[in-house]
Coordinates of all heavy atoms in Angstrom, one line a residue:
M1 N -66.9 232.6 -5.1 CA -68.1 233.2 -4.6 C -68.0 233.5 -3.1 O -67.5 232.6 -2.3 CB -69.3 232.2 -4.8 CG -70.6 232.7 -4.4 SD -71.9 231.5 -4.5 CE -72.0 231.3 -6.3
P2 N -68.3 234.7 -2.7 CA -68.2 235.0 -1.2 C -69.1 234.2 -0.4 O -70.2 233.9 -0.8 CB -68.5 236.5 -1.2 CG -69.3 236.8 -2.4 CD -68.9 235.8 -3.5
R3 N -68.7 233.9 0.8 CA -69.5 233.2 1.8 C -69.5 233.9 3.1 O -68.6 234.6 3.4 CB -68.9 231.8 2.0 CG -68.9 230.9 0.7 CD -68.0 229.7 1.0 NE -68.7 228.8 1.9 CZ -69.3 227.7 1.5 NH1 -69.3 227.4 0.3 NH2 -69.9 226.9 2.4
P4 N -70.6 233.8 3.8 CA -70.8 234.4 5.1 C -69.6 234.1 6.1 O -69.2 235.0 6.8 CB -72.1 233.9 5.7 CG -72.9 233.6 4.5 CD -71.9 233.1 3.4
T5 N -69.1 232.9 6.0 CA -68.1 232.5 6.9 C -66.7 233.2 6.6 O -65.8 233.1 7.4 CB -67.8 231.0 6.9 OG1 -67.8 230.5 5.6 CG2 -68.9 230.2 7.7
Q6 N -66.6 233.9 5.5 CA -65.4 234.6 5.2 C -65.5 236.0 5.7 O -64.5 236.7 5.6 CB -65.2 234.6 3.7 CG -64.8 233.3 3.1 CD -64.7 233.4 1.5 OE1 -65.8 233.5 0.9 NE2 -63.5 233.4 1.0
C7 N -66.6 236.4 6.3 CA -66.8 237.7 6.8 C -66.5 237.8 8.3 O -66.6 236.8 9.0 CB -68.2 238.3 6.5 SG -68.5 238.4 4.7
E8 N -66.3 239.0 8.8 CA -66.2 239.2 10.2 C -67.6 239.0 10.8 O -68.5 239.7 10.4 CB -65.7 240.6 10.4 CG -65.3 241.0 11.8 CD -64.2 240.2 12.4 OE1 -63.3 239.9 11.7 OE2 -64.3 239.9 13.6
P9 N -67.7 238.1 11.8 CA -69.1 237.8 12.3 C -69.8 239.0 12.9 O -71.0 239.2 12.6 CB -68.9 236.8 13.4 CG -67.5 236.2 13.2 CD -66.7 237.3 12.4
M10 N -69.1 239.8 13.6 CA -69.7 241.0 14.3 C -70.3 242.0 13.2 O -71.4 242.5 13.3 CB -68.7 241.8 15.1 CG -68.4 241.1 16.4 SD -69.8 241.2 17.6 CE -69.1 240.3 19.0
W11 N -69.5 242.1 12.2 CA -69.9 243.0 11.1 C -71.1 242.5 10.3 O -72.1 243.2 10.0 CB -68.7 243.2 10.1 CG -69.0 244.0 8.9 CD1 -69.1 245.3 8.8 CD2 -69.4 243.4 7.6 NE1 -69.5 245.6 7.5 CE2 -69.6 244.5 6.7 CE3 -69.5 242.1 7.1 CZ2 -69.9 244.3 5.4 CZ3 -69.8 241.9 5.8 CH2 -70.0 243.0 4.9
L12 N -71.1 241.2 10.1 CA -72.2 240.5 9.3 C -73.5 240.6 10.1 O -74.5 241.0 9.6 CB -71.8 239.1 9.1 CG -72.5 238.4 7.9 CD1 -72.3 239.1 6.6 CD2 -72.0 236.9 7.8
R13 N -73.4 240.3 11.4 CA -74.6 240.4 12.2 C -75.1 241.8 12.4 O -76.3 242.1 12.4 CB -74.2 239.7 13.6 CG -75.4 239.8 14.6 CD -76.6 238.9 14.2 NE -77.6 239.0 15.2 CZ -77.7 238.1 16.2 NH1 -76.9 237.1 16.3 NH2 -78.7 238.2 17.1
D14 N -74.1 242.7 12.5 CA -74.5 244.1 12.6 C -75.3 244.6 11.4 O -76.1 245.5 11.5 CB -73.2 245.0 12.8 CG -73.5 246.4 13.2 OD1 -74.3 246.6 14.1 OD2 -73.0 247.3 12.6
N15 N -75.1 243.9 10.3 CA -75.7 244.3 9.0 C -76.9 243.4 8.7 O -77.5 243.5 7.6 CB -74.8 244.3 7.9 CG -73.9 245.5 7.8 OD1 -74.3 246.6 7.4 ND2 -72.7 245.4 8.3
C16 N -77.4 242.7 9.7 CA -78.6 241.8 9.5 C -79.8 242.8 9.2 O -80.0 243.8 9.9 CB -78.8 241.0 10.7 SG -80.3 240.0 10.6
A17 N -80.5 242.4 8.2 CA -81.6 243.3 7.8 C -83.0 242.7 8.1 O -84.0 243.2 7.6 CB -81.5 243.5 6.3
C18 N -83.1 241.7 9.0 CA -84.4 241.2 9.4 C -85.2 242.1 10.2 O -84.6 243.1 10.8 CB -84.2 239.8 10.1 SG -83.8 239.9 11.8
A19 N -86.5 241.9 10.4 CA -87.4 242.8 11.1 C -87.1 242.9 12.6 O -87.4 243.8 13.2 CB -88.8 242.3 10.9
E20 N -86.4 241.8 13.1 CA -86.0 241.8 14.5 C -84.8 242.8 14.7 O -84.6 243.3 15.8 CB -85.5 240.4 14.9 CG -86.4 239.7 15.9 CD -85.9 238.3 16.2 OE1 -85.0 238.2 17.1 OE2 -86.3 237.4 15.4
C21 N -84.0 242.9 13.7 CA -82.7 243.7 13.9 C -82.9 245.1 13.3 O -82.2 246.0 13.8 CB -81.6 243.0 13.2 SG -81.1 241.5 13.9
R22 N -83.8 245.3 12.4 CA -84.0 246.6 11.8 C -85.4 246.9 11.6 O -86.2 246.1 11.2 CB -83.3 246.6 10.4 CG -82.1 247.5 10.3 CD -81.4 247.2 9.0 NE -79.9 246.9 9.3 CZ -79.0 247.9 9.5 NH1 -79.4 249.1 9.4 NH2 -77.8 247.6 9.8
D23 N -85.8 248.2 11.9 CA -87.2 248.6 11.7 C -87.4 248.7 10.2 O -86.8 249.4 9.5 CB -87.4 250.0 12.4 CG -88.8 250.4 12.5 OD1 -89.5 250.1 11.5 OD2 -89.3 250.9 13.5
P24 N -88.4 247.9 9.7 CA -88.6 247.8 8.3 C -89.1 249.2 7.7 O -89.0 249.4 6.5 CB -89.7 246.8 8.1 CG -90.1 246.2 9.4 CD -89.3 247.0 10.5
R25 N -89.7 250.0 8.6 CA -90.2 251.3 8.1 C -89.1 252.3 7.8 O -89.1 253.0 6.9 CB -91.2 251.8 9.1 CG -92.5 251.0 9.0 CD -93.3 251.3 10.3 NE -92.6 251.0 11.5 CZ -93.0 251.1 12.7 NH1 -94.2 251.6 13.0 NH2 -92.3 250.7 13.8
N26 N -88.1 252.4 8.7 CA -87.1 253.4 8.6 C -85.7 252.9 8.5 O -84.7 253.6 8.4 CB -87.2 254.5 9.7 CG -87.1 253.9 11.0 OD1 -86.7 252.7 11.2 ND2 -87.6 254.6 12.1
G27 N -85.6 251.6 8.6 CA -84.2 251.0 8.5 C -83.3 251.2 9.7 O -82.2 250.9 9.7
Q28 N -83.9 251.7 10.8 CA -83.1 251.9 11.9 C -82.8 250.7 12.7 O -83.6 249.8 12.8 CB -83.9 252.9 12.9 CG -83.1 253.5 13.9 CD -83.8 254.6 14.7 OE1 -85.0 254.8 14.5 NE2 -83.1 255.2 15.6
K29 N -81.5 250.6 13.1 CA -81.1 249.4 13.8 C -81.7 249.3 15.2 O -81.8 250.3 15.9 CB -79.6 249.4 13.9 CG -79.0 248.0 14.1 CD -77.5 248.1 13.7 CE -76.7 249.0 14.6 NZ -75.3 249.0 14.5
L30 N -82.1 248.1 15.6 CA -82.9 248.0 16.8 C -82.0 247.4 18.0 O -82.5 247.0 19.0 CB -84.1 247.1 16.6 CG -85.1 247.6 15.6 CD1 -86.2 246.6 15.3 CD2 -85.7 248.9 16.0
F31 N -80.7 247.3 17.7 CA -79.8 246.8 18.8 C -78.5 247.5 18.7 O -78.2 248.1 17.6 CB -79.6 245.3 18.7 CG -78.9 244.8 17.4 CD1 -77.5 244.6 17.4 CD2 -79.6 244.6 16.2 CE1 -76.9 244.3 16.3 CE2 -78.9 244.3 15.1 CZ -77.6 244.1 15.1
Q32 N -77.7 247.4 19.7 CA -76.3 247.9 19.7 C -75.4 246.8 19.4 O -75.6 245.6 19.8 CB -76.0 248.6 21.0 CG -76.9 249.7 21.4 CD -76.7 250.9 20.4 OE1 -75.6 251.2 20.0 NE2 -77.8 251.5 20.0
I33 N -74.2 247.1 18.8 CA -73.3 246.0 18.5 C -72.7 245.5 19.8 O -72.3 244.3 19.9 CB -72.1 246.5 17.6 CG1 -71.4 245.4 16.9 CG2 -71.2 247.5 18.3 CD1 -70.6 245.7 15.7
T34 N -72.8 246.3 20.9 CA -72.3 245.8 22.2 C -73.3 244.8 22.8 O -73.0 244.2 23.8 CB -72.1 247.0 23.1 OG1 -73.3 247.9 23.0 CG2 -70.9 247.8 22.8
D35 N -74.5 244.8 22.3 CA -75.5 243.8 22.8 C -75.3 242.4 22.3 O -75.9 241.4 22.7 CB -76.9 244.2 22.4 CG -77.4 245.5 23.0 OD1 -76.8 245.9 24.1 OD2 -78.3 246.2 22.5
L36 N -74.4 242.3 21.3 CA -74.2 241.0 20.6 C -73.3 240.1 21.5 O -72.5 240.6 22.3 CB -73.5 241.2 19.3 CG -74.3 241.9 18.2 CD1 -73.5 242.2 17.0 CD2 -75.6 241.2 17.9
P37 N -73.5 238.8 21.5 CA -72.7 237.9 22.3 C -71.2 238.0 21.9 O -70.9 238.1 20.7 CB -73.2 236.5 21.9 CG -74.6 236.7 21.3 CD -74.5 238.1 20.7
Q38 N -70.3 237.9 22.9 CA -68.9 238.1 22.7 C -68.4 236.9 21.8 O -67.5 237.1 21.0 CB -68.2 238.0 24.0 CG -68.4 239.2 24.9 CD -67.4 240.4 24.5 OE1 -66.2 240.2 24.4 NE2 -68.0 241.5 24.2
D39 N -69.0 235.8 21.9 CA -68.5 234.6 21.2 C -69.3 234.3 19.9 O -69.5 233.2 19.5 CB -68.4 233.4 22.1 CG -69.8 233.1 22.8 OD1 -70.7 234.0 22.7 OD2 -69.9 232.0 23.3
L40 N -69.9 235.4 19.4 CA -70.7 235.3 18.2 C -70.0 234.6 17.1 O -68.8 234.9 16.8 CB -71.1 236.7 17.7 CG -72.1 236.8 16.6 CD1 -73.5 236.4 17.1 CD2 -72.1 238.3 16.0
A41 N -70.7 233.7 16.4 CA -70.1 232.9 15.3 C -71.2 232.4 14.4 O -72.3 232.3 14.8 CB -69.3 231.8 15.9
V42 N -70.8 232.1 13.2 CA -71.7 231.5 12.2 C -71.8 230.0 12.5 O -70.8 229.3 12.4 CB -71.3 231.8 10.8 CG1 -72.1 231.0 9.8 CG2 -71.3 233.3 10.4
A43 N -73.0 229.6 12.9 CA -73.1 228.1 13.3 C -73.4 227.3 12.0 O -72.9 226.2 11.8 CB -74.3 227.9 14.2
A44 N -74.1 227.9 11.0 CA -74.4 227.2 9.8 C -74.7 228.3 8.7 O -75.3 229.3 9.0 CB -75.6 226.3 10.0
E45 N -74.3 227.9 7.5 CA -74.6 228.8 6.3 C -75.3 227.9 5.3 O -74.8 226.8 5.0 CB -73.4 229.5 5.8 CG -72.3 228.6 5.4 CD -71.1 229.3 4.8 OE1 -71.0 230.6 4.9 OE2 -70.2 228.6 4.2
T46 N -76.4 228.3 4.8 CA -77.1 227.5 3.8 C -77.4 228.4 2.6 O -77.9 229.5 2.8 CB -78.5 227.0 4.4 OG1 -78.2 226.5 5.7 CG2 -79.1 225.9 3.5
A47 N -77.2 227.9 1.4 CA -77.6 228.6 0.2 C -79.1 228.8 0.2 O -79.9 227.9 0.5 CB -77.2 227.9 -1.1
A48 N -79.5 230.1 0.0 CA -81.0 230.4 0.1 C -81.3 231.6 -0.9 O -80.4 232.3 -1.2 CB -81.3 230.8 1.5
E49 N -82.5 231.7 -1.2 CA -82.9 232.8 -2.1 C -83.3 234.0 -1.2 O -84.0 233.9 -0.3 CB -84.2 232.3 -2.9 CG -84.3 233.1 -4.2 CD -85.4 232.5 -5.1 OE1 -86.5 232.9 -4.9 OE2 -85.1 231.7 -6.0
V50 N -82.7 235.1 -1.6 CA -82.9 236.4 -0.9 C -83.5 237.4 -1.9 O -82.8 237.8 -2.8 CB -81.6 236.9 -0.3 CG1 -81.9 238.2 0.5 CG2 -81.0 235.9 0.6
D51 N -84.8 237.7 -1.6 CA -85.5 238.7 -2.5 C -85.4 238.3 -4.0 O -85.1 239.1 -4.8 CB -84.9 240.1 -2.3 CG -85.2 240.7 -0.9 OD1 -86.2 240.3 -0.3 OD2 -84.4 241.5 -0.4
G52 N -85.5 237.0 -4.2 CA -85.5 236.5 -5.6 C -84.1 236.3 -6.2 O -84.0 235.9 -7.4
A53 N -83.1 236.6 -5.4 CA -81.7 236.5 -5.9 C -80.9 235.4 -5.1 O -81.3 235.2 -3.9 CB -81.0 237.8 -5.8
P54 N -79.9 234.8 -5.6 CA -79.1 233.8 -4.8 C -78.5 234.5 -3.6 O -78.0 235.6 -3.7 CB -78.1 233.3 -5.8 CG -78.1 234.3 -7.0 CD -79.4 235.0 -7.0
G55 N -78.4 233.8 -2.5 CA -77.8 234.3 -1.3 C -77.6 233.2 -0.3 O -77.6 232.0 -0.6
W56 N -77.5 233.6 1.0 CA -77.2 232.7 2.1 C -78.1 232.9 3.2 O -78.4 234.1 3.6 CB -75.8 232.9 2.5 CG -74.8 232.6 1.5 CD1 -74.2 233.5 0.6 CD2 -74.2 231.3 1.2 NE1 -73.4 232.8 -0.3 CE2 -73.3 231.5 0.1 CE3 -74.3 230.0 1.7 CZ2 -72.6 230.4 -0.5 CZ3 -73.6 229.0 1.2 CH2 -72.7 229.2 0.1
E57 N -78.5 231.9 3.9 CA -79.1 232.0 5.2 C -78.1 231.5 6.2 O -77.5 230.5 6.1 CB -80.4 231.1 5.3 CG -81.0 231.3 6.7 CD -82.3 230.6 6.8 OE1 -82.3 229.4 7.1 OE2 -83.4 231.2 6.7
V58 N -77.9 232.4 7.2 CA -77.0 232.1 8.3 C -77.7 231.9 9.6 O -78.6 232.6 9.9 CB -76.0 233.4 8.4 CG1 -75.1 233.2 9.7 CG2 -75.2 233.5 7.2
V59 N -77.3 230.8 10.3 CA -77.8 230.5 11.6 C -76.6 230.9 12.6 O -75.5 230.4 12.4 CB -78.2 229.1 11.8 CG1 -78.7 228.9 13.2 CG2 -79.3 228.7 10.8
W60 N -76.9 231.7 13.6 CA -75.9 232.2 14.5 C -75.8 231.4 15.7 O -76.8 230.9 16.2 CB -76.2 233.7 14.8 CG -76.1 234.6 13.7 CD1 -77.1 235.1 12.9 CD2 -74.9 235.2 13.2 NE1 -76.6 236.0 12.0 CE2 -75.2 236.0 12.1 CE3 -73.5 235.1 13.5 CZ2 -74.3 236.7 11.3 CZ3 -72.6 235.8 12.8 CH2 -73.0 236.6 11.7
S61 N -74.6 231.3 16.2 CA -74.3 230.8 17.5 C -73.8 231.9 18.4 O -73.1 232.8 17.9 CB -73.2 229.7 17.3 OG -72.7 229.3 18.6
P62 N -74.1 232.0 19.6 CA -74.9 230.9 20.4 C -76.4 231.2 20.4 O -77.1 230.4 21.0 CB -74.3 231.1 21.8 CG -74.0 232.5 21.9 CD -73.6 233.0 20.5
D63 N -76.9 232.3 19.8 CA -78.3 232.6 20.1 C -79.3 232.1 19.1 O -80.5 232.2 19.3 CB -78.5 234.2 20.2 CG -78.1 234.9 19.0 OD1 -77.7 234.2 18.0 OD2 -78.2 236.1 18.9
G64 N -78.9 231.4 18.0 CA -79.8 230.8 17.1 C -80.5 231.7 16.2 O -81.4 231.3 15.5
H65 N -80.1 233.0 16.1 CA -80.7 234.0 15.3 C -80.4 233.6 13.8 O -79.4 233.0 13.5 CB -80.1 235.4 15.6 CG -80.8 236.5 14.9 ND1 -81.9 237.0 15.4 CD2 -80.5 237.2 13.7 CE1 -82.3 238.0 14.6 NE2 -81.4 238.1 13.6
R66 N -81.4 234.0 12.9 CA -81.2 233.7 11.5 C -81.1 235.0 10.7 O -81.9 235.9 10.9 CB -82.4 232.9 11.0 CG -82.3 231.4 11.4 CD -83.6 230.7 11.1 NE -83.5 229.4 11.7 CZ -83.2 228.3 11.1 NH1 -82.8 228.3 9.8 NH2 -83.1 227.1 11.7
S67 N -80.2 235.1 9.8 CA -80.0 236.2 8.9 C -79.9 235.8 7.5 O -79.5 234.6 7.2 CB -78.7 237.0 9.3 OG -78.7 237.3 10.6
R68 N -80.3 236.6 6.6 CA -80.2 236.3 5.1 C -79.4 237.4 4.5 O -79.6 238.6 4.7 CB -81.6 236.2 4.5 CG -82.3 234.9 4.8 CD -83.7 234.9 4.3 NE -84.3 233.6 4.6 CZ -84.6 232.8 3.6 NH1 -84.4 233.1 2.4 NH2 -85.2 231.6 3.9
Y69 N -78.5 237.0 3.6 CA -77.6 237.9 2.9 C -77.6 237.6 1.4 O -77.4 236.4 1.1 CB -76.2 237.9 3.5 CG -76.2 238.2 4.9 CD1 -76.1 237.2 5.9 CD2 -76.2 239.5 5.4 CE1 -76.0 237.4 7.2 CE2 -76.2 239.8 6.8 CZ -76.1 238.7 7.7 OH -76.1 239.0 9.0
A70 N -77.8 238.5 0.6 CA -77.8 238.3 -0.9 C -76.3 238.2 -1.3 O -75.4 238.8 -0.8 CB -78.4 239.4 -1.6
D71 N -76.1 237.3 -2.3 CA -74.8 237.1 -2.8 C -74.2 238.4 -3.3 O -73.0 238.7 -3.1 CB -74.9 236.1 -4.0 CG -74.1 234.8 -3.8 OD1 -73.6 234.7 -2.7 OD2 -74.2 234.0 -4.7
A72 N -75.0 239.2 -4.0 CA -74.5 240.4 -4.6 C -74.0 241.4 -3.5 O -73.0 242.1 -3.7 CB -75.6 241.1 -5.4
W73 N -74.7 241.3 -2.3 CA -74.3 242.2 -1.2 C -73.0 241.7 -0.6 O -72.1 242.5 -0.3 CB -75.5 242.2 -0.2 CG -75.2 243.2 0.9 CD1 -75.4 244.5 0.9 CD2 -74.7 242.9 2.2 NE1 -75.1 245.0 2.1 CE2 -74.6 244.1 2.9 CE3 -74.2 241.7 2.8 CZ2 -74.1 244.1 4.2 CZ3 -73.7 241.7 4.1 CH2 -73.7 242.9 4.8
L74 N -72.9 240.4 -0.4 CA -71.7 239.8 0.1 C -70.5 240.1 -0.8 O -69.4 240.1 -0.3 CB -71.9 238.3 0.4 CG -72.6 237.9 1.6 CD1 -72.8 236.4 1.6 CD2 -71.9 238.3 2.9
G75 N -70.8 240.2 -2.1 CA -69.7 240.3 -3.0 C -69.0 241.7 -3.0 O -68.0 241.9 -3.6
E76 N -69.6 242.6 -2.3 CA -69.0 243.9 -2.2 C -68.3 244.1 -0.9 O -69.0 244.1 0.2 CB -70.1 245.0 -2.3 CG -70.9 245.1 -3.6 CD -72.0 246.0 -3.5 OE1 -71.9 247.1 -2.8 OE2 -73.1 245.7 -4.1
P77 N -67.0 244.1 -0.9 CA -66.2 244.2 0.3 C -66.7 245.4 1.2 O -66.5 245.3 2.4 CB -64.8 244.4 -0.1 CG -64.8 243.8 -1.5 CD -66.1 244.1 -2.1
E78 N -67.2 246.4 0.6 CA -67.6 247.6 1.4 C -68.9 247.3 2.0 O -69.4 248.1 2.9 CB -67.6 248.8 0.5 CG -66.3 249.2 -0.1 CD -65.2 249.4 1.0 OE1 -65.5 249.9 2.1 OE2 -64.1 249.1 0.7
G79 N -69.6 246.3 1.6 CA -70.9 246.0 2.2 C -71.9 247.1 2.0 O -71.8 248.0 1.2
G80 N -73.0 247.0 2.8 CA -74.1 248.0 2.6 C -73.8 249.3 3.4 O -74.4 250.3 3.1
S81 N -72.9 249.2 4.4 CA -72.8 250.4 5.3 C -71.3 250.8 5.4 O -70.9 251.3 6.4 CB -73.3 250.0 6.7 OG -72.5 249.0 7.3
G82 N -70.6 250.5 4.4 CA -69.2 251.0 4.4 C -68.2 250.1 5.0 O -67.1 250.6 5.3
G83 N -68.5 248.9 5.4 CA -67.5 247.9 5.9 C -66.4 248.5 6.7 O -66.5 249.5 7.3
P84 N -65.2 247.9 6.7 CA -64.8 246.7 6.0 C -65.2 245.5 6.8 O -65.1 245.5 8.0 CB -63.3 246.8 5.9 CG -62.9 247.6 7.1 CD -64.0 248.5 7.4
G85 N -65.8 244.5 6.1 CA -66.2 243.3 6.9 C -65.5 242.1 6.6 O -65.7 241.1 7.2
W86 N -64.6 242.2 5.6 CA -63.9 240.9 5.3 C -62.8 240.6 6.3 O -62.0 241.5 6.7 CB -63.3 241.1 3.9 CG -64.4 241.1 2.9 CD1 -64.9 242.2 2.4 CD2 -65.1 240.0 2.4 NE1 -66.0 241.9 1.5 CE2 -66.1 240.6 1.5 CE3 -65.0 238.6 2.5 CZ2 -67.0 239.7 0.8 CZ3 -65.9 237.8 1.8 CH2 -66.9 238.4 1.0
A87 N -62.8 239.3 6.7 CA -61.9 238.9 7.7 C -60.4 239.0 7.3 O -59.5 239.3 8.1 CB -62.2 237.5 8.1
T88 N -60.1 238.9 6.0 CA -58.8 238.9 5.5 C -58.3 240.4 5.6 O -58.8 241.2 4.9 CB -58.7 238.4 4.1 OG1 -59.4 237.2 4.1 CG2 -57.3 238.1 3.7
G89 N -57.2 240.6 6.3 CA -56.6 241.9 6.3 C -57.3 242.9 7.1 O -56.9 244.1 7.1
V90 N -58.3 242.6 7.9 CA -59.0 243.5 8.7 C -58.4 243.6 10.1 O -58.3 242.6 10.7 CB -60.5 243.2 8.8 CG1 -61.2 244.1 9.8 CG2 -61.2 243.2 7.5
P91 N -57.9 244.7 10.5 CA -57.3 244.8 11.8 C -58.4 244.6 12.9 O -59.5 245.2 12.8 CB -56.8 246.3 11.9 CG -57.2 247.0 10.7 CD -57.9 246.0 9.8
R92 N -58.1 243.8 13.8 CA -59.2 243.4 14.8 C -59.0 244.2 16.1 O -59.0 243.7 17.2 CB -59.1 241.9 15.1 CG -59.3 241.1 13.8 CD -59.4 239.7 14.1 NE -59.7 239.0 12.9 CZ -60.5 237.9 12.8 NH1 -61.1 237.5 13.8 NH2 -60.7 237.4 11.6
T93 N -58.7 245.5 16.0 CA -58.4 246.3 17.1 C -59.7 246.4 18.0 O -59.5 246.6 19.3 CB -58.0 247.7 16.7 OG1 -58.8 248.2 15.7 CG2 -56.5 247.7 16.2
A94 N -60.8 246.4 17.5 CA -62.1 246.7 18.2 C -62.3 245.5 19.2 O -62.9 245.7 20.3 CB -63.2 246.8 17.3
R95 N -61.8 244.4 18.9 CA -62.1 243.2 19.7 C -61.3 243.1 21.0 O -61.7 242.6 22.0 CB -62.0 241.9 18.9 CG -62.5 240.7 19.6 CD -62.5 239.6 18.6 NE -63.6 239.7 17.6 CZ -63.9 238.9 16.7 NH1 -63.2 237.8 16.5 NH2 -64.9 239.1 15.9
S96 N -60.0 243.5 20.9 CA -59.2 243.3 22.1 C -59.0 244.6 22.9 O -58.6 245.6 22.3 CB -57.8 242.8 21.6 OG -57.2 243.7 20.7
S97 N -59.2 244.5 24.1 CA -58.9 245.7 25.0 C -57.8 245.3 25.9 O -57.9 244.4 26.7 CB -60.2 246.1 25.8 OG -60.6 245.1 26.6
G98 N -56.7 246.1 25.9 CA -55.5 245.8 26.7 C -55.7 246.2 28.1 O -54.9 245.8 29.0
S99 N -56.6 247.1 28.4 CA -56.7 247.7 29.7 C -57.9 247.0 30.5 O -58.9 247.6 30.5 CB -56.9 249.2 29.6 OG -58.0 249.5 28.9
R100 N -57.7 245.8 30.9 CA -58.7 245.2 31.7 C -58.4 245.3 33.2 O -57.4 244.9 33.6 CB -58.8 243.7 31.3 CG -60.0 243.0 32.0 CD -60.0 241.5 31.5 NE -60.3 241.4 30.1 CZ -60.3 240.2 29.5 NH1 -60.1 239.1 30.1 NH2 -60.6 240.2 28.2
P101 N -59.4 245.8 33.9 CA -59.1 246.0 35.4 C -59.1 244.6 36.1 O -59.8 243.7 35.7 CB -60.4 246.8 35.9 CG -61.4 246.6 34.8 CD -60.7 246.3 33.5
I102 N -58.1 244.5 37.0 CA -57.9 243.2 37.7 C -58.8 243.2 38.9 O -58.7 244.1 39.7 CB -56.4 243.0 38.0 CG1 -55.6 243.0 36.7 CG2 -56.2 241.7 38.8 CD1 -54.1 243.1 36.9
Ligands
LIG201 ZN1 -81.6 239.8 12.4

């Protein structure tokens, strides 16, 4: 069974569907991925019901935000927005920038 901790945290948080992160009327994202904390991580994952289906509630570190993800959604490696979100085999090029000014 897929678990939130097996996913790339930035991707998972980017796909949070709560009213704080997405406008419920048009589904528009209300933040930029660059607004997320650099050290974003899953602080806790708890089995929870999501829209009547089995899923997970995730508590984020360091900001304490809560997200819910349905099992069925996590089970699709492509996710809801075309992924890839799975940590295994995902190139992490976006995270490291080699050209940092001194
Ligand atoms: Zn959210």
Side-chain angles (χ1 to χ4, degrees):
M1 184 184 290
R3 298 168 69 102
T5 44
Q6 289 176 286
C7 298
E8 187 63 38
M10 285 288 181
W11 172 83
L12 201 58
R13 178 64 178 269
D14 191 49
N15 281 282
C16 179
C18 82
E20 246 178 89
C21 295
R22 247 167 234 278
D23 191 319
R25 286 162 302 180
N26 56 19
Q28 196 170 2
K29 203 163 60 171
L30 301 174
F31 65 94
Q32 297 296 319
I33 198 160
T34 47
D35 293 338
L36 297 173
Q38 290 276 309
D39 53 348
L40 186 72
V42 174
E45 57 176 13
T46 315
E49 206 170 86
V50 180
D51 294 331
W56 297 90
E57 181 176 79
V58 171
V59 180
W60 292 99
S61 169
D63 62 359
H65 188 82
R66 285 168 190 266
S67 309
R68 282 170 178 252
Y69 304 98
D71 245 0
W73 185 83
L74 281 173
E76 295 173 34
E78 299 304 324
S81 67
W86 293 94
T88 314
V90 174
R92 301 186 177 219
T93 45
R95 187 169 289 180
S96 58
S97 62
S99 57
R100 185 179 295 178
I102 300 168

